[in-house]
Amino acid sequence: MKKYKDIISLSKNERGIWDLDTIKGCASGLALNPLGCYGDCYAAKTAKIYGIDFGTSIERKFLNEQHRVRIVNNINRIDMPFIRIGCAGDPSENWQHTINILSELVRLLGSQAVQY
């Protein structure tokens, strides 16, 4: 089975929702049930269709400063009031990693990144 890549990306799904998963896969979600949380995990089903090992959680990171800046520039260009985190993985697999990634983005985006 394939593994998710460890390089973070900003992507738009078929419904027009932007996501930036800090972690792909969900080891804890599959630990007790091979079908994932609540026995019906959409992300686990999708990974299985594409031959991806959803049972291994992969922390995703920026390749380098240029990559980080490119992601920030792309975030600035999108017309969406939010970016979803946790589409194909669970950020709680490593909260500290997720907080670190988001802190870097907020630092580069400034106060515009935090809207309620």
Side-chain angles (χ1 to χ4, degrees), residues 29-30 32-33 35-41:
L30 295 182
L32 299 177
N33 187 330
L35 299 177
C37 294
Y38 309 107
D40 191 28
C41 176

Side-chain angles (χ1 to χ4, degrees), residues 42-99:
Y42 154 84
K45 286 180 190 177
T46 303
K48 185 174 183 178
I49 289 168
Y50 290 101
I52 299 171
D53 176 11
F54 194 71
T56 300
S57 298
I58 304 293
E59 293 176 5
R60 293 164 54 92
K61 58 191 175 294
F62 299 107
L63 210 55
N64 52 37
E65 186 62 21
Q66 182 181 13
H67 179 231
R68 184 183 351 263
V69 169
R70 188 170 52 246
I71 295 276
V72 167
N73 288 339
N74 288 337
I75 289 171
N76 281 325
R77 281 190 218 108
I78 65 174
D79 184 25
M80 186 76 179
F82 66 92
I83 296 171
R84 185 172 173 196
I85 297 173
C87 292
D90 190 340
S92 71
E93 290 284 291
N94 185 336
W95 277 123
Q96 192 57 59
H97 172 72
T98 296
I99 290 167

Side-chain angles (χ1 to χ4, degrees), residues 103-116:
S103 293
E104 289 180 53
L105 291 174
V106 168
R107 177 180 55 81
L108 291 169
L109 287 164
S111 61
Q112 68 182 355
V114 184
Q115 298 179 357
Y116 300 95

